[in-house]
Amino acid sequence: TGCLHDYQLAPADMQLLSKADAFIVNGGGIESFLDDVAKQYDTLSVIYASNQVDLLEDNAHAWMNVSDYKMQVQTIAEELGKLDTKDAELFMENANQYIAKLSDLEVKLSELKTVTEGQNIVIFHEAYEYVADELGMQVVTVMDLDEERQVSAGEVADVMSAIENQNVNVVLAEELYGKDMGDTVEKETNAKVVYLDTLVRGDYDADSYLVGMEQNIAKLKEAFGY
């Protein structure tokens, strides 16, 4: 699936959870399937990674802001340490090593912010509100696109109007669901559409997030002429 909101637990997932000591989730209401988990596994320890993050209203895609993601990593390590006290120190050592890598990304984003701060943008996925927040950009319009979203002609006209009237030069979109709308924007306006990875799909390599965010930063640097 392309969105955590739409994820449905498969029998294999339920079997896996039946043997698990802990289940780490993002939290903030983004995992709608958790009700089923709670009903069947009332003794399973669920760790909510976003518990200490100041979430944007009705939007829990906190991992898209590297600073917030660092806090999530810290929370996960702390909560795992409470469940497994003998390994608590190891959890924190590993977390700190990973957080150091995330700090390197923060430096790059801070440099990029020198050209993005104050810029008006349009986004086609609510996850990018966190990108905009970290880079000091002003979101003038959000069109949250997914596989079930039907866009009306009026909505398209409103987006085009916002781009023209609010001096929007960059639109952030997810290619899976936003390509058609992105093509329309680039055909009808002078704005550049940048397709960013929302970092919810892919392999399970330990550095998948780091690689994905590096690629996102590179695309943003190109779009904003950094």
Side-chain angles (χ1 to χ4, degrees):
T1 182
C3 179
L4 285 173
H5 296 292
D6 303 324
Y7 190 77
Q8 299 293 321
L9 287 171
D13 294 325
M14 301 302 279
Q15 184 178 17
L16 187 63
L17 288 174
S18 70
K19 302 174 182 177
D21 297 311
F23 186 25
I24 302 171
V25 301
N26 184 76
I30 207 167
E31 292 97 350
S32 58
F33 58 79
L34 281 181
D35 287 344
D36 292 335
V37 174
K39 290 175 184 176
Q40 298 197 43
Y41 307 111
D42 56 358
T43 60
L44 179 65
S45 296
V46 180
I47 296 173
Y48 295 90
S50 296
N51 267 2
Q52 299 183 63
V53 177
D54 187 15
L55 297 174
L56 301 177
E57 186 177 359
D58 298 323
N59 185 347
H61 297 76
W63 66 88
M64 291 300 290
N65 179 314
V66 175
S67 299
D68 289 339
Y69 184 57
K70 285 174 62 176
M71 191 174 297
Q72 289 184 308
V73 172
Q74 179 84 16
T75 296
I76 291 168
E78 290 173 355
E79 294 302 314
L80 285 174
K82 293 176 184 177
L83 296 174
D84 178 10
T85 54
K86 73 180 189 314
D87 291 320
E89 186 174 339
L90 179 60
F91 291 140
M92 288 310 305
E93 287 176 0
N94 290 339
N96 288 335
Q97 289 181 29
Y98 189 53
I99 286 171
K101 295 180 180 180
L102 296 175
S103 295
D104 291 340
L105 290 180
E106 277 188 305
V107 171
K108 295 178 181 180
L109 287 163
S110 179
E111 294 169 348
L112 178 58
K113 188 177 180 179
T114 61
V115 297
T116 60
E117 189 162 26
Q119 295 270 5
N120 287 344
I121 62 167
V122 167
I123 62 176
F124 291 160
H125 194 297
E126 63 180 355
Y128 304 138
E129 288 189 70
Y130 282 91
V131 177
D133 184 55
E134 188 160 31
L135 291 174
M137 298 185 289
Q138 180 66 39
V139 178
V140 298
T141 297
V142 179
M143 180 180 284
D144 197 25
L145 301 175
D146 58 37
E147 68 267 30
E148 298 178 355
R149 183 79 152 84
Q150 298 297 319
V151 181
S152 69
E155 288 177 306
V156 173
D158 288 343
V159 168
M160 301 304 170
S161 177
I163 291 172
E164 294 293 344
N165 297 332
Q166 299 290 333
N167 193 31
V168 173
N169 296 313
V170 174
V171 174
L172 304 183
E174 184 188 31
E175 192 162 12
L176 181 62
Y177 302 129
K179 187 64 167 61
D180 289 344
M181 190 64 191
D183 288 344
T184 301
V185 166
E186 293 194 322
K187 180 181 178 181
E188 301 293 336
T189 75
N190 293 321
K192 179 177 178 59
V193 180
V194 181
Y195 296 102
L196 300 183
D197 189 346
T198 55
L199 305 172
V200 295
R201 294 182 301 276
D203 59 34
Y204 293 99
D205 182 81
D207 288 338
S208 288
Y209 177 92
L210 300 172
V211 172
M213 191 57 78
E214 285 274 14
Q215 292 172 346
N216 283 347
I217 292 172
K219 291 178 181 179
L220 289 166
K221 283 183 174 180
E222 181 182 0
F224 285 98
Y226 178 81

